[in-house]
Amino acid sequence: MRYSRDNMAGLLRSHDINPTHQRIEIAYALFSRMEHLSADQVMTQVNVHHSETSKATVYNTLNLFLQKGLIREVIVDPNKVFYDPNTRPHHHLYDVESGRLTDIDAEEIHINGLPPLPEGMTMEGIDLIVRIRKAA
Amino acid sequence: MRYSRDNMAGLLRSHDINPTHQRIEIAYALFSRMEHLSADQVMTQVNVHHSETSKATVYNTLNLFLQKGLIREVIVDPNKVFYDPNTRPHHHLYDVESGRLTDIDAEEIHINGLPPLPEGMTMEGIDLIVRIRKAA
DNA sequence: CTAGAGTTTGGACTTTGTCTAATTGCGGCA
DNA sequence: TGCCGCAATTAGACAAAGTCCAAACTCTAG
Protein backbone atom coordinates (compact mmCIF):
# COMPACT_ATOMS: atom_id res chain seq x y z
CA MET A 1 0.00 0.00 0.00
CA ARG A 2 1.30 3.46 -0.93
CA TYR A 3 0.43 6.24 1.37
CA SER A 4 -0.76 9.63 0.28
CA ARG A 5 -2.00 12.54 2.32
CA ASP A 6 -5.51 11.41 1.44
CA ASN A 7 -5.07 8.02 3.10
CA MET A 8 -4.00 9.57 6.34
CA ALA A 9 -7.37 10.68 7.67
CA GLY A 10 -8.72 7.15 7.34
CA LEU A 11 -5.64 5.64 8.89
CA LEU A 12 -5.92 7.97 11.85
CA ARG A 13 -9.63 7.35 12.26
CA SER A 14 -9.09 3.61 12.16
CA HIS A 15 -6.84 4.03 15.17
CA ASP A 16 -9.36 6.16 16.97
CA ILE A 17 -7.50 9.39 16.42
CA ASN A 18 -9.29 12.54 15.45
CA PRO A 19 -7.62 13.58 12.19
CA THR A 20 -6.57 17.19 12.38
CA HIS A 21 -4.47 19.16 9.97
CA GLN A 22 -1.29 18.81 12.00
CA ARG A 23 -1.81 15.16 12.78
CA ILE A 24 -2.24 14.37 9.13
CA GLU A 25 0.98 16.16 8.27
CA ILE A 26 2.88 14.33 10.96
CA ALA A 27 1.47 10.95 10.00
CA TYR A 28 2.26 11.69 6.37
CA ALA A 29 5.86 12.56 7.21
CA LEU A 30 6.30 9.13 8.76
CA PHE A 31 4.20 6.93 6.50
CA SER A 32 5.09 8.37 3.14
CA ARG A 33 8.75 7.63 3.81
CA MET A 34 8.36 4.52 5.94
CA GLU A 35 11.56 5.50 7.64
CA HIS A 36 12.69 5.89 11.20
CA LEU A 37 12.57 9.53 12.15
CA SER A 38 13.41 11.37 15.33
CA ALA A 39 11.02 13.95 16.74
CA ASP A 40 13.34 16.59 15.44
CA GLN A 41 13.34 15.20 11.93
CA VAL A 42 9.55 14.98 11.94
CA MET A 43 9.43 18.60 13.05
CA THR A 44 11.72 19.67 10.22
CA GLN A 45 9.82 17.67 7.61
CA VAL A 46 6.48 19.02 8.65
CA ASN A 47 7.73 22.58 8.57
CA VAL A 48 9.64 22.54 5.29
CA HIS A 49 7.37 25.05 3.62
CA HIS A 50 6.39 27.45 6.34
CA SER A 51 6.60 26.94 10.03
CA GLU A 52 3.20 25.49 10.77
CA THR A 53 3.48 23.09 13.63
CA SER A 54 4.96 23.69 17.05
CA LYS A 55 7.38 21.52 18.94
CA ALA A 56 4.77 20.80 21.59
CA THR A 57 2.34 19.50 18.99
CA VAL A 58 4.94 17.28 17.40
CA TYR A 59 5.75 15.67 20.73
CA ASN A 60 2.11 15.44 21.80
CA THR A 61 1.14 13.88 18.53
CA LEU A 62 3.96 11.36 18.41
CA ASN A 63 3.10 10.25 21.91
CA LEU A 64 -0.54 9.99 20.97
CA PHE A 65 0.29 7.86 17.92
CA LEU A 66 2.48 5.70 20.11
CA GLN A 67 -0.21 5.17 22.68
CA LYS A 68 -2.79 4.33 20.01
CA GLY A 69 -0.47 1.78 18.46
CA LEU A 70 -0.03 3.59 15.18
CA ILE A 71 3.73 3.76 15.45
CA ARG A 72 6.51 2.28 17.58
CA GLU A 73 9.37 3.75 19.50
CA VAL A 74 12.92 2.59 18.84
CA ILE A 75 15.47 3.23 21.53
CA VAL A 76 18.98 2.69 20.24
CA ASP A 77 20.66 6.02 20.45
CA PRO A 78 21.47 7.44 23.85
CA ASN A 79 20.21 10.88 23.01
CA LYS A 80 17.16 10.61 20.86
CA VAL A 81 14.20 8.37 20.30
CA PHE A 82 13.28 7.18 16.83
CA TYR A 83 9.70 6.64 15.72
CA ASP A 84 8.91 3.75 13.48
CA PRO A 85 5.82 3.61 11.26
CA ASN A 86 6.30 -0.12 10.85
CA THR A 87 4.39 -1.90 13.61
CA ARG A 88 4.70 -5.42 12.26
CA PRO A 89 7.05 -7.51 14.39
CA HIS A 90 10.59 -6.79 13.31
CA HIS A 91 14.03 -6.01 14.60
CA HIS A 92 16.74 -3.49 13.88
CA LEU A 93 20.17 -3.17 12.46
CA TYR A 94 21.89 -0.09 13.81
CA ASP A 95 24.99 1.43 12.34
CA VAL A 96 26.54 3.01 15.39
CA GLU A 97 28.71 5.34 13.34
CA SER A 98 26.25 6.80 10.88
CA GLY A 99 23.18 6.38 13.04
CA ARG A 100 21.42 4.54 10.20
CA LEU A 101 18.66 2.24 11.33
CA THR A 102 17.38 -0.60 9.12
CA ASP A 103 14.63 -3.14 9.61
CA ILE A 104 15.09 -6.88 9.93
CA ASP A 105 11.93 -8.84 9.38
CA ALA A 106 11.02 -10.96 12.39
CA GLU A 107 9.67 -13.78 10.23
CA GLU A 108 12.82 -15.79 9.91
CA ILE A 109 14.34 -15.00 13.26
CA HIS A 110 13.89 -17.45 16.07
CA ILE A 111 14.92 -16.84 19.61
CA ASN A 112 15.17 -19.90 21.82
CA GLY A 113 15.84 -20.39 25.48
CA LEU A 114 14.25 -17.32 26.97
CA PRO A 115 13.74 -17.79 30.69
CA PRO A 116 10.18 -17.71 32.07
CA LEU A 117 8.95 -14.26 32.98
CA PRO A 118 8.79 -13.30 36.65
CA GLU A 119 5.48 -14.02 38.40
CA GLY A 120 2.62 -11.74 37.38
CA MET A 121 4.43 -10.09 34.50
CA THR A 122 3.47 -10.00 30.85
CA MET A 123 5.72 -9.47 27.93
CA GLU A 124 5.25 -6.20 26.22
CA GLY A 125 7.69 -6.88 23.42
CA ILE A 126 11.11 -8.06 22.43
CA ASP A 127 13.61 -5.73 20.88
CA LEU A 128 16.59 -7.15 19.13
CA ILE A 129 19.21 -4.67 18.06
CA VAL A 130 22.21 -5.68 16.02
CA ARG A 131 24.87 -3.02 16.33
CA ILE A 132 27.25 -2.83 13.40
CA ARG A 133 30.09 -0.61 12.23
CA LYS A 134 32.47 -0.38 9.30
CA ALA A 135 35.04 -3.18 9.39
CA ALA A 136 38.41 -1.90 10.59
CA MET B 1 34.76 -13.00 43.13
CA ARG B 2 33.62 -10.42 45.67
CA TYR B 3 34.72 -6.91 45.13
CA SER B 4 36.09 -4.64 47.81
CA ARG B 5 37.60 -1.20 47.53
CA ASP B 6 41.01 -2.87 47.70
CA ASN B 7 40.41 -4.93 44.56
CA MET B 8 39.54 -1.87 42.55
CA ALA B 9 43.02 -0.48 41.97
CA GLY B 10 44.13 -3.78 40.47
CA LEU B 11 41.01 -4.07 38.36
CA LEU B 12 41.54 -0.60 36.97
CA ARG B 13 45.24 -1.17 36.32
CA SER B 14 44.45 -4.42 34.52
CA HIS B 15 42.35 -2.36 32.13
CA ASP B 16 45.05 0.20 31.65
CA ILE B 17 43.39 2.83 33.77
CA ASN B 18 45.34 4.92 36.21
CA PRO B 19 43.61 4.27 39.54
CA THR B 20 42.82 7.55 41.24
CA HIS B 21 40.76 8.19 44.32
CA GLN B 22 37.62 9.16 42.39
CA ARG B 23 37.93 6.38 39.85
CA ILE B 24 38.19 3.82 42.59
CA GLU B 25 35.05 5.15 44.24
CA ILE B 26 33.14 5.08 40.97
CA ALA B 27 34.30 1.58 40.10
CA TYR B 28 33.42 0.45 43.59
CA ALA B 29 29.92 1.88 43.32
CA LEU B 30 29.31 -0.25 40.24
CA PHE B 31 31.19 -3.43 41.09
CA SER B 32 30.26 -3.83 44.71
CA ARG B 33 26.59 -3.86 43.76
CA MET B 34 26.87 -5.49 40.35
CA GLU B 35 23.81 -3.52 39.38
CA HIS B 36 22.83 -1.31 36.52
CA LEU B 37 23.23 2.30 37.51
CA SER B 38 22.60 5.54 35.69
CA ALA B 39 25.22 8.29 35.79
CA ASP B 40 23.01 10.08 38.24
CA GLN B 41 22.79 7.12 40.57
CA VAL B 42 26.54 6.66 40.45
CA MET B 43 26.96 10.31 41.34
CA THR B 44 24.64 9.98 44.32
CA GLN B 45 26.30 6.79 45.56
CA VAL B 46 29.75 8.22 45.35
CA ASN B 47 28.74 11.34 47.23
CA VAL B 48 26.71 9.79 50.04
CA HIS B 49 29.11 10.89 52.74
CA HIS B 50 30.34 14.27 51.64
CA SER B 51 30.23 15.74 48.20
CA GLU B 52 33.55 14.60 46.84
CA THR B 53 33.22 14.01 43.14
CA SER B 54 31.92 16.37 40.51
CA LYS B 55 29.43 15.65 37.78
CA ALA B 56 32.10 16.16 35.12
CA THR B 57 34.33 13.54 36.70
CA VAL B 58 31.52 11.02 36.93
CA TYR B 59 30.74 11.40 33.24
CA ASN B 60 34.40 11.45 32.21
CA THR B 61 35.13 8.38 34.24
CA LEU B 62 32.15 6.37 33.05
CA ASN B 63 33.08 7.11 29.47
CA LEU B 64 36.65 6.15 30.16
CA PHE B 65 35.57 2.84 31.70
CA LEU B 66 33.33 2.24 28.71
CA GLN B 67 36.08 2.88 26.23
CA LYS B 68 38.50 0.64 28.12
CA GLY B 69 35.95 -2.17 28.15
CA LEU B 70 35.52 -2.25 31.90
CA ILE B 71 31.79 -1.68 31.75
CA ARG B 72 29.00 -1.68 29.17
CA GLU B 73 26.30 0.76 28.25
CA VAL B 74 22.64 -0.31 28.25
CA ILE B 75 20.22 1.77 26.25
CA VAL B 76 16.64 0.93 27.14
CA ASP B 77 15.20 4.03 28.66
CA PRO B 78 14.52 7.00 26.45
CA ASN B 79 16.07 9.45 28.83
CA LYS B 80 19.00 7.93 30.53
CA VAL B 81 21.81 5.50 29.88
CA PHE B 82 22.53 2.67 32.30
CA TYR B 83 26.02 1.40 32.97
CA ASP B 84 26.54 -2.30 33.45
CA PRO B 85 29.52 -3.76 35.28
CA ASN B 86 28.78 -7.15 33.75
CA THR B 87 30.66 -7.41 30.46
CA ARG B 88 30.05 -11.10 29.85
CA PRO B 89 27.60 -11.67 27.00
CA HIS B 90 24.10 -11.33 28.33
CA HIS B 91 20.75 -9.76 27.66
CA HIS B 92 18.22 -7.74 29.58
CA LEU B 93 14.78 -7.88 31.05
CA TYR B 94 13.36 -4.42 31.41
CA ASP B 95 10.34 -3.58 33.52
CA VAL B 96 8.98 -0.57 31.67
CA GLU B 97 6.97 0.58 34.64
CA SER B 98 9.48 0.45 37.46
CA GLY B 99 12.55 0.90 35.30
CA ARG B 100 14.11 -2.23 36.85
CA LEU B 101 16.69 -3.88 34.68
CA THR B 102 17.68 -7.53 35.15
CA ASP B 103 20.24 -9.71 33.43
CA ILE B 104 19.50 -12.76 31.31
CA ASP B 105 22.50 -14.96 30.75
CA ALA B 106 23.33 -15.35 27.07
CA GLU B 107 24.41 -18.98 27.54
CA GLU B 108 21.09 -20.62 26.90
CA ILE B 109 19.72 -18.17 24.38
CA HIS B 110 20.05 -18.92 20.73
CA ILE B 111 19.14 -16.57 17.96
CA ASN B 112 18.70 -18.12 14.53
CA GLY B 113 18.03 -16.70 11.13
CA LEU B 114 19.88 -13.42 11.33
CA PRO B 115 20.42 -12.04 7.84
CA PRO B 116 24.00 -11.57 6.61
CA LEU B 117 25.52 -8.23 7.49
CA PRO B 118 25.84 -5.61 4.79
CA GLU B 119 29.12 -5.63 2.85
CA GLY B 120 32.11 -4.36 4.80
CA MET B 121 30.39 -4.20 8.16
CA THR B 122 31.27 -5.99 11.35
CA MET B 123 29.00 -6.81 14.19
CA GLU B 124 29.72 -4.83 17.29
CA GLY B 125 27.18 -6.62 19.44
CA ILE B 126 23.65 -7.86 19.77
CA ASP B 127 21.32 -6.41 22.34
CA LEU B 128 18.21 -8.31 23.21
CA ILE B 129 15.76 -6.50 25.41
CA VAL B 130 12.63 -8.14 26.74
CA ARG B 131 10.20 -5.47 27.85
CA ILE B 132 7.77 -6.55 30.52
CA ARG B 133 5.09 -5.00 32.70
CA LYS B 134 2.70 -6.04 35.42
CA ALA B 135 -0.11 -8.21 34.06
CA ALA B 136 -3.33 -6.22 33.73
C1' DC C 1 -24.35 32.73 16.61
C1' DT C 2 -22.64 30.50 20.81
C1' DA C 3 -20.92 27.15 24.12
C1' DG C 4 -17.85 23.65 25.10
C1' DA C 5 -14.74 20.14 24.11
C1' DG C 6 -10.68 19.11 22.02
C1' DT C 7 -6.39 20.87 19.90
C1' DT C 8 -2.55 23.79 19.27
C1' DT C 9 0.77 27.16 20.72
C1' DG C 10 4.89 29.82 22.65
C1' DG C 11 7.75 29.85 26.01
C1' DA C 12 9.51 28.67 30.41
C1' DC C 13 11.36 24.83 32.56
C1' DT C 14 13.78 20.21 33.57
C1' DT C 15 17.03 16.68 32.81
C1' DT C 16 20.90 14.50 30.86
C1' DG C 17 25.08 15.20 29.25
C1' DT C 18 29.23 18.06 27.23
C1' DC C 19 32.75 21.62 27.23
C1' DT C 20 36.20 24.69 28.93
C1' DA C 21 39.40 27.17 31.41
C1' DA C 22 41.27 27.24 35.84
C1' DT C 23 42.97 24.56 39.71
C1' DT C 24 44.70 20.65 42.17
C1' DG C 25 47.69 16.95 43.21
C1' DC C 26 51.15 13.75 42.53
C1' DG C 27 55.61 11.57 40.73
C1' DG C 28 60.19 12.49 39.76
C1' DC C 29 64.24 14.97 40.40
C1' DA C 30 67.78 18.20 41.97
C1' DT D 1 62.66 19.97 50.79
C1' DG D 2 61.15 22.58 46.83
C1' DC D 3 59.98 22.80 42.14
C1' DC D 4 58.43 21.18 37.49
C1' DG D 5 55.17 19.22 34.50
C1' DC D 6 51.49 16.42 33.47
C1' DA D 7 47.32 14.06 34.37
C1' DA D 8 43.09 14.46 36.71
C1' DT D 9 39.48 17.09 38.71
C1' DT D 10 36.45 20.93 39.23
C1' DA D 11 32.58 24.54 38.87
C1' DG D 12 29.77 26.33 36.15
C1' DA D 13 28.21 27.71 31.56
C1' DC D 14 26.15 25.57 27.84
C1' DA D 15 23.41 22.40 24.59
C1' DA D 16 19.80 19.25 23.19
C1' DA D 17 15.70 16.54 24.00
C1' DG D 18 11.59 16.61 25.93
C1' DT D 19 7.68 18.23 29.28
C1' DC D 20 4.39 21.42 31.13
C1' DC D 21 1.12 25.03 31.30
C1' DA D 22 -2.08 28.57 30.64
C1' DA D 23 -3.88 31.11 26.88
C1' DA D 24 -5.74 31.04 22.30
C1' DC D 25 -7.74 28.84 18.55
C1' DT D 26 -11.10 25.65 15.90
C1' DC D 27 -14.82 22.96 15.01
C1' DT D 28 -19.17 21.19 15.59
C1' DA D 29 -23.82 20.62 17.66
C1' DG D 30 -27.56 23.05 19.02
Side-chain angles (χ1 to χ4, degrees):
Chain A
M1 213 242 257
R2 277 263 46 76
Y3 288 102
S4 70
R5 263 192 194 69
D6 302 339
N7 296 140
M8 291 299 107
L11 179 65
L12 295 183
R13 261 188 289 263
S14 78
H15 280 79
D16 195 25
I17 297 166
N18 188 4
T20 66
H21 199 34
Q22 289 88 336
R23 287 171 182 176
I24 288 174
E25 284 304 314
I26 292 172
Y28 184 65
L30 286 159
F31 284 91
S32 66
R33 283 171 196 75
M34 268 304 179
E35 266 172 21
H36 310 84
L37 299 180
S38 66
D40 210 54
Q41 293 173 309
V42 169
M43 175 94 158
T44 313
Q45 276 308 324
V46 165
N47 290 333
V48 199
H49 303 303
H50 347 66
S51 182
E52 300 141 327
T53 304
S54 73
K55 188 171 59 145
T57 301
V58 171
Y59 280 100
N60 286 346
T61 303
L62 288 172
N63 285 324
L64 178 70
F65 286 3
L66 207 53
Q67 177 199 316
K68 297 289 188 179
L70 187 61
I71 61 177
R72 290 194 352 187
E73 200 175 32
V74 186
I75 302 171
V76 281
D77 183 296
N79 47 341
K80 62 183 81 185
V81 172
F82 286 98
Y83 295 91
D84 190 345
N86 178 0
T87 52
R88 300 195 333 272
H90 69 282
H91 303 297
H92 293 103
L93 209 58
Y94 183 58
D95 182 334
V96 293
E97 271 157 3
S98 72
R100 271 186 73 76
L101 195 54
T102 331
D103 283 0
I104 305 175
D105 203 332
E107 285 295 296
E108 50 244 53
I109 295 196
H110 295 281
I111 300 170
N112 302 311
L114 280 179
L117 298 188
E119 197 59 38
M121 292 277 158
T122 40
M123 185 177 306
E124 170 145 304
I126 294 191
D127 291 358
L128 180 67
I129 296 151
V130 180
R131 283 169 209 279
I132 60 175
R133 64 151 25 104
K134 268 205 283 306
Chain B
M1 212 241 255
R2 277 257 54 71
Y3 288 103
S4 69
R5 263 191 194 68
D6 302 339
N7 296 140
M8 290 299 109
L11 179 66
L12 294 183
R13 259 186 291 263
S14 77
H15 280 79
D16 196 25
I17 297 167
N18 188 4
T20 66
H21 199 33
Q22 288 88 336
R23 287 172 182 176
I24 287 173
E25 284 303 314
I26 291 172
Y28 185 65
L30 286 160
F31 285 91
S32 65
R33 283 173 198 73
M34 267 304 177
E35 266 172 22
H36 310 83
L37 299 180
S38 66
D40 210 54
Q41 292 173 310
V42 170
M43 176 96 157
T44 314
Q45 276 308 324
V46 165
N47 290 333
V48 198
H49 303 302
H50 348 66
S51 182
E52 299 141 326
T53 304
S54 72
K55 188 171 59 146
T57 302
V58 170
Y59 280 100
N60 286 344
T61 303
L62 289 171
N63 286 324
L64 178 69
F65 286 2
L66 205 54
Q67 178 201 317
K68 296 289 188 179
L70 187 62
I71 60 178
R72 292 199 346 191
E73 200 176 30
V74 186
I75 302 171
V76 279
D77 182 295
N79 48 341
K80 62 183 85 192
V81 171
F82 286 99
Y83 294 91
D84 189 346
N86 179 359
T87 52
R88 298 194 334 273
H90 69 282
H91 303 297
H92 293 103
L93 209 58
Y94 183 57
D95 183 334
V96 292
E97 270 156 5
S98 71
R100 268 186 74 75
L101 195 54
T102 331
D103 283 359
I104 306 175
D105 203 331
E107 285 295 297
E108 51 243 51
I109 295 195
H110 296 280
I111 300 169
N112 302 311
L114 280 179
L117 298 188
E119 197 60 38
M121 293 277 159
T122 39
M123 186 177 304
E124 169 144 304
I126 294 191
D127 291 358
L128 180 66
I129 296 151
V130 181
R131 284 169 208 278
I132 60 175
R133 65 153 22 105
K134 267 205 284 301

